[in-house]
Amino acid sequence: AQSVTQLGSHVSVSEGALVLLRCNYSSSVPPYLFWYVQYPNQGLQLLLKYTSAATLVKGINGFEAEFKKSETSFHLTKPSAHMSDAAEYFCAVSRPSSGGYNKLIFGAGTRLAVHP
Amino acid sequence: EPEVTQTPSHQVTQMGQEVILRCVPISNHLYFYWYRQILGQKVEFLVSFYNNEISEKSEIFDDQFSVERPDGSNFTLKIRSTKLEDSAMYFCASSEGGDLQPQHFGDGTRLSIL
């Protein structure tokens, strides 16, 4: 079975500081991994995805994530936080499916606060 | 940019009543999903739907739940006899299909059961 663990339900950083949101996964097969962001009263927006191509994945809004198989990790980073980055971030895993659909298994989420 | 739209944004229903949550997926998408998020908990997969049939469902998706694509644009989730524990945010998602295609989510419907 697949699962995702996000370490830290709340992370607080200063504007301009490095953002690091941690995600570890468990999967019996090579996984697909995703980061989604949720702003207040909105749906989930895809930030980036890993689908077995490059291990360093660049996403929108300056975020990137690195797939490390040896550590079963897919941590999300951004060099310099902006106030508009304050949101909840979800890591998700799925596995390749011959049916063309991919059920997402989500982590519990990390709420990022950015203070001046 | 095309988006998934969900209505209503908030639904309040008495326990035991039927409720239908509506979604309009992105027009060229072929795969449709429902997820839910109980307050303070993880987003959980409920069901996936393709070619007018359920392709996978979770343990949560019992006989009280059903999905339907009644026409070429809408995708609905019906709960026949709501329970207090059905109170949650329900998200609809759609994708073009294929493993590499991401799911696009709507803004959700907050369902409150009284």
Side-chain angles (χ1 to χ4, degrees):
Chain A
Q2 296 181 303
S3 66
V4 172
T5 301
Q6 290 184 241
L7 296 175
S9 58
H10 289 82
V11 171
S12 181
V13 301
S14 299
E15 191 174 19
L18 171 72
V19 175
L20 171 61
L21 304 182
R22 299 178 187 274
C23 172
N24 288 89
Y25 69 90
S26 172
S27 178
S28 58
V29 298
Y32 294 155
L33 292 159
F34 306 81
W35 276 99
Y36 281 84
V37 61
Q38 185 180 29
Y39 298 102
N41 300 315
Q42 294 186 26
L44 299 162
Q45 180 183 2
L46 180 70
L47 273 179
L48 48 80
K49 64 180 182 181
Y50 166 76
T51 54
S52 75
T55 56
L56 182 62
V57 181
K58 293 188 184 298
I60 62 171
N61 302 339
F63 284 92
E64 61 182 38
E66 186 172 7
F67 173 71
K68 291 187 177 180
K69 184 178 178 181
S70 61
E71 299 177 8
T72 61
S73 69
F74 190 57
H75 301 332
L76 182 70
T77 60
K78 182 174 180 177
S80 176
H82 193 272
M83 297 295 288
S84 61
D85 294 326
E88 186 141 24
Y89 291 80
F90 294 92
C91 183
V93 64
S94 73
R95 66 178 187 180
S97 164
S98 61
Y101 63 90
N102 53 353
K103 173 180 78 174
L104 293 173
I105 306 296
F106 284 89
T110 297
R111 186 168 298 278
L112 175 67
V114 182
H115 51 86
Chain B
E1 184 177 329
E3 57 184 30
V4 175
T5 56
Q6 290 185 243
T7 55
S9 57
H10 192 190
Q11 174 79 46
V12 181
T13 301
Q14 292 287 332
M15 186 173 58
Q17 295 297 306
E18 175 184 285
V19 66
I20 297 175
L21 308 183
R22 302 182 190 280
C23 170
V24 179
I26 295 173
S27 61
N28 64 330
H29 285 188
L30 302 176
Y31 294 80
F32 314 110
Y33 308 83
W34 284 100
Y35 293 82
R36 80 172 186 189
Q37 185 180 27
I38 294 172
L39 188 63
Q41 298 186 23
K42 293 184 180 184
V43 177
E44 303 171 288
F45 168 80
L46 290 179
V47 65
S48 60
F49 190 86
Y50 169 69
N51 199 25
N52 280 322
E53 60 183 28
I54 291 173
S55 42
E56 185 172 355
K57 61 183 181 180
S58 72
E59 292 177 354
I60 302 167
F61 196 89
D62 62 21
D63 292 345
Q64 292 300 311
F65 291 86
S66 62
V67 289
E68 190 179 31
R69 190 157 162 81
D71 52 41
S73 59
N74 290 284
F75 179 52
T76 62
L77 174 69
K78 182 194 290 186
I79 308 175
R80 287 190 184 80
S81 179
T82 50
K83 307 182 189 69
L84 293 176
E85 54 264 38
D86 294 327
S87 295
M89 181 73 90
Y90 287 81
F91 292 106
C92 173
S94 68
S95 70
E96 291 182 51
D99 294 338
L100 303 184
Q101 299 304 320
Q103 293 177 32
H104 297 258
F105 284 77
D107 286 347
T109 293
R110 181 167 298 284
L111 178 62
S112 300
I113 307 301
L114 304 179

